[in-house]
C-alpha cells in the first residue's frame, strides 16, 4: 500500500532531551516536507527536501534539523526540545514534478514537551 | 506566513444539506487545493483548481475560484455524517517551493 509512515504516533518528552521523529514513504517520491499544526494557525512548513541531500528551510525552521540521506526517509530532529515545540507534526511527500499539486500526508505525530 | 484564510471557522449542518466553506488568499496563485483532515489525522487531498479555471467538480464536491477577489469556495452537496472533518485550502504561489495552508473550517454533519 502506498503510504507515508511516521513514528511515533505519540511522544511525550522533557525539555532538552534530543528526539527524532521518523518519516518514510514507499512511493519513490522526490519531494518530502515537514509541517507542524497548531490550533488557529493551520499548517506551517518546517523544512522540505526536493531530493536526496537537498534540504531547505520552510517558514518555521528554528529548533529543528532534517536530513535526507535516502530518498525514502526524511527524519525530523529536535536537538533540544522546548515546550513551544509541543505540536502535531506531519510529514508529507509528492513526486518531484507534482509537489505543488498534491501532497500525501502521514498520520501525524503528537509531540508534548514538558 | 498564512496565505489562505477559511471562513467560517466552524460549520454545523444536518445530514443531506449542502455545506459551503470559503477561502481567501492574499497573493497571486498558480493553483489552489482543498484538503480534508479527519480528527487529528493526516490531510487528504480532495481537489485542485488552477488559476485559469473558474469551477471544478469531483463527485459531490464543487470548487470555484475567483482570482479577481482572491477567493475560492468549496461546496459539498448532500452531506453525510462521514463528511465531518476539518477542511483546509492550500495555495501554491510559485515563488516558494511549498504549499501554504489556511487555518481550516471545522465541518460537523449531524445525523
Amino acid at each position: 500500500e502506498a503510504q507515508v509512515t511516521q513514528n511515533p504516533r505519540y511522544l511525550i518528552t522533557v525539555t532538552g532531551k534530543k528526539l527524532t521523529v521518523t518519516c518514510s514513504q514507499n512511493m519513490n517520491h522526490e519531494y518530502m516536507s515537514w509541517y507542524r499544526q497548531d490550533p488557529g494557525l493551520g499548517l506551517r512548513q518546517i523544512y522540505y527536501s526536493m531530493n536526496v541531500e537537498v534540504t531547505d528551510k520552510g517558514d518555521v525552521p528554528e529548533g529543528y534539523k532534517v536530513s535526507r540521506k535516502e530518498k525514502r526517509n526524511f527524519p525530523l530532529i529536535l536537538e533540544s526540545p522546548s515546550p513551544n515545540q509541543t505540536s502535531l507534526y506531519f510529514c508529507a511527500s509528492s513526486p518531484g514534478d507534482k509537489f505543488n499539486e498534491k501532497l500525501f500526508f502521514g498520520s501525524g505525530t503528537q509531540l508534548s514537551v514538558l | 506566513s498564512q496565505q489562505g484564510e477559511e471562513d467560517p471557522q466552524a460549520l454545523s449542518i444536518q445530514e443531506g444539506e449542502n455545506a459551503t466553506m470559503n477561502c481567501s488568499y492574499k497573493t497571486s496563485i498558480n493553483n489552489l487545493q482543498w484538503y480534508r483532515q479527519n480528527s487529528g489525522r493526516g490531510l487528504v487531498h480532495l481537489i485542485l483548481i488552477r488559476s485559469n479555471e473558474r469551477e471544478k467538480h469531483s463527485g459531490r464536491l464543487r470548487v470555484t475560484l475567483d482570482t479577481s477577489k482572491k477567493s475560492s469556495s468549496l461546496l459539498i452537496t448532500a452531506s453525510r455524517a462521514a463528511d465531518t472533518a476539518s477542511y483546509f485550502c492550500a495555495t501554491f504561489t510559485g515563488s516558494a517551493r511549498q504549499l501554504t495552508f489556511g487555518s481550516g473550517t471545522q465541518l460537523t454533519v449531524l445525523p
Side-chain angles (χ1 to χ4, degrees):
Chain A
E1 180 190 353
Q3 59 186 358
V4 179
T5 303
Q6 289 179 232
N7 280 297
R9 180 75 177 93
Y10 300 96
L11 181 58
I12 300 174
T13 189
V14 295
T15 299
K17 186 176 182 181
K18 181 180 178 179
L19 65 92
T20 300
V21 183
T22 63
C23 174
S24 179
Q25 50 89 9
N26 62 0
M27 297 171 279
N28 202 36
H29 287 168
E30 291 82 13
Y31 180 89
M32 297 185 75
S33 179
W34 277 102
Y35 287 84
R36 61 176 287 174
Q37 183 178 26
D38 302 288
L41 295 177
L43 279 80
R44 294 178 293 169
Q45 191 181 54
I46 303 170
Y47 269 95
Y48 66 93
S49 169
M50 296 298 293
N51 213 325
V52 176
E53 301 293 359
V54 180
T55 63
D56 211 341
K57 296 177 181 178
D59 290 328
V60 288
E62 294 78 20
Y64 304 94
K65 284 176 58 177
V66 292
S67 68
R68 188 88 183 274
K69 294 182 169 53
E70 305 165 281
K71 198 172 188 179
R72 63 183 294 126
N73 296 323
F74 191 45
L76 179 69
I77 303 157
L78 284 72
E79 294 268 1
S80 183
S82 62
N84 64 12
Q85 293 178 299
T86 291
S87 187
L88 180 58
Y89 291 86
F90 289 102
C91 179
S93 73
S94 180
D97 59 344
K98 298 292 184 186
F99 75 92
N100 58 334
E101 296 189 354
K102 182 176 182 178
L103 291 179
F104 296 81
F105 281 83
S107 297
T109 295
Q110 180 64 59
L111 172 65
S112 296
V113 183
L114 306 176
Chain B
S1 61
Q2 276 183 275
Q3 161 79 313
E5 292 290 339
E6 288 89 341
D7 171 61
Q9 288 187 328
L11 178 61
S12 185
I13 60 174
Q14 295 292 136
E15 206 164 25
E17 293 180 339
N18 295 342
T20 300
M21 52 205 89
N22 305 296
C23 170
S24 60
Y25 56 91
K26 298 173 185 174
T27 61
S28 296
I29 59 170
N30 289 47
N31 70 57
L32 185 144
Q33 303 165 42
W34 287 90
Y35 287 78
R36 182 187 73 224
Q37 182 184 34
N38 291 91
S39 180
R41 308 301 292 183
L43 281 73
V44 175
H45 183 270
L46 294 176
I47 194 167
L48 174 151
I49 187 165
R50 302 185 190 282
S51 59
N52 61 353
E53 297 175 314
R54 291 297 167 260
E55 188 171 313
K56 206 159 183 183
H57 297 254
S58 177
R60 293 185 296 114
L61 304 180
R62 173 178 167 251
V63 171
T64 61
L65 179 65
D66 187 335
T67 53
S68 66
K69 295 181 180 178
K70 291 187 170 58
S71 68
S72 172
S73 67
L74 172 67
L75 168 67
I76 304 174
T77 60
S79 62
R80 307 165 181 167
D83 294 327
T84 294
S86 292
Y87 291 83
F88 294 86
C89 67
T91 55
F92 177 68
T93 63
S95 59
R97 289 183 174 177
Q98 62 165 301
L99 290 179
T100 305
F101 287 83
S103 53
T105 292
Q106 172 62 52
L107 173 65
T108 302
V109 181
L110 303 169

